[in-house]
């Protein structure tokens, strides 16, 4: 009868009415964007897609994808550049085309990119007056299409200088909580004619309108500006001389981990820290003579869990850069990819699939590359609010 709703065929109804089969179908859609569209069908499908156990399984089957990377040069105030990954699946390529990857300006000025975290880009802008540094941070959401919702400006942080001391280096860390984000700003200060350094950690918890000094610790070891530190399990891990410094943000204590035998930190970028996907363990990535080693620290010991031989994979690139050294620029949190520098080229190593490809080559007027910040697709996805018309199964 015309205008009368037609029932689905019996075979389709039998499948879609089976909760287990429906869940098995939805978990195989492949991308978070497809999962959001599936959740928009009706409240019943939304209930499956947003269930905690379902989302954990979906993430195991379809880990967050790398959409591209920023190259942030240190010498220029507005030099952030985003490069999408090549050969993205069409669905993810469409996401990249719709996004706005240039961070929004605030107070009429652009700022340095200082990190990427779960679909967001962190920037900072610094100003100096007399003996005070003022830092203003912002969180940008390139995948958010509503302009007014794309940027959150954080409260400013003021740091005072003192005679006979110098800030050796700084780093911003962010941590996603159930109700928002918390931030930790680490400064490492050298004191003239004194051994070691002082480490200061400032904290901005979700909902706070001012930064506060969370802890101050002294170390006889000198923390290295490179490689970058990592934060997980309320601890900051830093490279320092021949060891790793651990700043326990909960207990306010400082401890160290010795490096594996034959491994050291230096300015040539041969060693970098990483963390497991679930934040449970620490990894160390080391490169030596075209061999990349992945070390796992667990139970107080180091275990060599993987070795990637780069000699054959680098053969084509060595023709252009026969004398170039290889250094590590950035390591992904999931131990799935590593960004390497070889001469004037940036190489992307897929650890799981053992593939290496060139993703960027420096221009003639570039003296050095700068820092690479990979941009991952956000997780978990933001599900739609269904209208009453779609609430029925």
């Amino acid at each position: 009868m015309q205008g009368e709703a037609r029932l689905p065929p019996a075979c389709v109804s039998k499948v879609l009415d089976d909760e287990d089969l429906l869940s098995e179908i939805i978990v195989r859609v492949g991308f978070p964007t497809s999962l959001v569209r599936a959740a928009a069908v009706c409240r019943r499908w939304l209930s499956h897609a947003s269930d905690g156990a379902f989302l954990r399984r979906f993430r195991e089957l379809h880990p967050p994808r790398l959409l591209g990377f920023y190259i942030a040069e240190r010498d220029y105030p507005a030099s952030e550049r985003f490069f999408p990954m090549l050969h993205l699946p069409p669905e993810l390529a469409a996401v990249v085309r719709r996004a706005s990857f240039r961070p929004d300006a605030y107070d009429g000025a652009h700022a340095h990119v200082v990190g990427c975290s779960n679909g967001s880009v962190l920037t900072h802008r610094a100003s100096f007056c007399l003996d005070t540094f003022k830092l203003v941070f912002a969180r940008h959401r390139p995948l958010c299409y509503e302009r007014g919702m794309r940027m959150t400006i954080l409260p400013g942080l003021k740091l005072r200088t003192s005679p006979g001391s110098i800030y050796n280096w700084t780093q911003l860390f962010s941590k996603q909580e159930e109700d928002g984000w918390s931030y930790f700003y680490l400064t490492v200060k050298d004191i003239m004619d004194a051994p070691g350094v002082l480490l200061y950690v400032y904290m901005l918890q979700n909902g706070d309108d001012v930064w506060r000094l969370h802890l101050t610790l002294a170390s006889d070891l000198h923390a290295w500006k490179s490689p970058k530190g990592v934060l997980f399990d309320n601890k900051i891990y830093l490279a320092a001389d021949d060891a790793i410094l651990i700043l326990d943000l909960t207990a306010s204590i400082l401890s160290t981990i010795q490096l594996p035998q034959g491994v050291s930190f230096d300015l040539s970028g041969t060693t970098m820290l990483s963390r497991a996907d679930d934040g449970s363990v620490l990894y160390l990535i080391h490169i030596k003579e075209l061999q990349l080693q992945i070390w796992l620290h667990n139970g107080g010991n180091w275990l060599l869990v993987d070795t990637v031989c780069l000699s054959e994979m680098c053969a084509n690139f060595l023709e252009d850069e026969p004398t170039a050294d290889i250094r590590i620029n950035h390591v992904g949190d999931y131990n799935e990819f590593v960004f390497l520098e070889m001469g004037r080229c940036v190489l992307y190593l897929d650890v799981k699939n053992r593939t290496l490809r060139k993703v960027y080559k420096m221009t003639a007027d570039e003296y050095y590359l700068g820092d690479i910040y990979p941009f991952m697709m956000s997780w978990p996805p933001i599900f739609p609010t269904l209208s009453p018309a779609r609430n029925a199964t």
Side-chain angles (χ1 to χ4, degrees), residues 65-282:
R65 297 291 293 270
L66 176 65
L67 297 184
F69 59 95
Y70 284 89
I71 295 180
E73 299 174 11
R74 306 180 190 93
D75 288 348
Y76 304 96
S79 60
E80 69 282 342
R81 295 172 295 163
F82 178 79
F83 299 91
M85 294 300 293
L86 301 176
H87 311 300
L88 285 172
E91 182 151 352
L92 297 185
V95 171
V96 171
R97 286 195 300 269
R98 292 195 301 267
S100 176
F101 286 101
R102 183 174 178 82
D104 294 341
Y106 49 99
D107 287 347
H110 290 278
H112 284 290
V113 173
V114 293
C116 293
S117 179
N118 197 19
S120 296
V121 181
L122 298 172
T123 67
H124 95 280
R125 183 168 51 83
S127 59
F128 182 74
C129 181
L130 298 177
D131 62 347
T132 302
F133 283 103
K134 182 179 180 181
L135 300 169
V136 179
F137 301 98
R139 176 174 288 275
H140 307 261
R141 303 173 183 85
L143 305 182
C144 181
Y145 306 128
E146 299 180 30
R147 183 171 180 82
M149 302 294 291
R150 282 210 308 252
M151 180 175 66
T152 301
I153 300 177
L154 307 181
L157 171 62
K158 294 182 179 180
L159 301 175
R160 293 189 180 277
T161 60
S162 56
S165 67
I166 184 173
Y167 288 108
N168 186 16
W169 67 279
T170 62
Q171 186 173 344
L172 177 68
F173 300 90
S174 62
K175 179 183 178 183
Q176 191 166 17
E177 314 278 4
E178 291 184 0
D179 55 350
W181 290 86
S182 293
Y183 301 88
F184 301 91
Y185 190 70
L186 170 69
T187 69
V188 181
K189 182 184 289 188
D190 281 326
I191 308 298
M192 292 181 61
D193 301 323
V197 295
L198 291 175
L199 301 102
Y200 301 88
V201 178
Y202 298 84
M203 182 171 67
L204 181 71
Q205 289 186 303
N206 180 46
D208 287 352
D209 57 3
V210 64
W211 291 82
R212 63 182 179 87
L213 181 59
H214 180 64
L215 61 86
T216 303
L217 297 168
S219 172
D220 293 333
L221 300 176
H222 281 82
W224 287 80
K225 182 175 181 179
S226 179
K228 309 175 185 76
V230 297
L231 166 68
F232 69 89
D233 194 27
N234 287 319
K235 297 176 182 177
I236 295 175
Y237 294 79
L238 302 172
D241 292 343
D242 59 351
I244 298 171
L245 285 177
I246 307 173
L247 284 68
D248 191 319
L249 301 176
T250 302
S252 299
I253 59 175
L254 185 68
S255 59
T256 60
I257 298 174
Q258 295 302 309
L259 297 175
Q261 187 174 2
V263 176
S264 62
F265 290 116
D266 55 44
L267 293 177
S268 63
T270 59
T271 307
M272 191 162 290
L273 302 175
S274 182
R275 60 185 180 183
D277 185 6
D278 60 0
S280 60
V281 291
L282 177 72

Side-chain angles (χ1 to χ4, degrees), residues 358-371:
K358 184 190 299 183
V359 292
Y360 180 74
K361 185 173 183 179
M362 295 169 60
T363 61
D365 57 348
E366 289 181 280
Y367 295 104
Y368 60 89
L369 183 68
D371 294 321

Side-chain angles (χ1 to χ4, degrees), residues 284-353:
L284 183 146
I285 316 299
H286 178 66
I287 190 168
K288 182 178 181 181
E289 297 177 354
L290 294 180
Q291 278 204 338
L292 187 135
Q293 298 176 334
I294 301 178
W295 294 84
L296 166 67
H297 187 267
N298 198 8
N301 298 311
W302 287 104
L303 175 66
L304 182 61
V305 294
D306 199 359
T307 299
V308 181
C309 183
L310 300 175
S311 56
E312 292 185 4
M313 289 188 281
C314 286
N316 294 334
F317 308 117
L318 286 171
E319 293 178 2
D320 298 329
E321 304 277 356
T323 62
D325 293 328
I326 298 181
R327 65 184 300 268
I328 303 172
N329 190 295
H330 196 99
V331 177
D333 285 349
Y334 312 108
N335 301 299
E336 292 185 347
F337 63 85
V338 178
F339 280 94
L340 302 170
E341 293 182 44
M342 175 183 282
R344 303 182 63 80
C345 297
V346 177
L347 309 179
Y348 171 81
L349 172 65
D350 185 327
V351 176
K352 281 191 172 181
N353 295 317

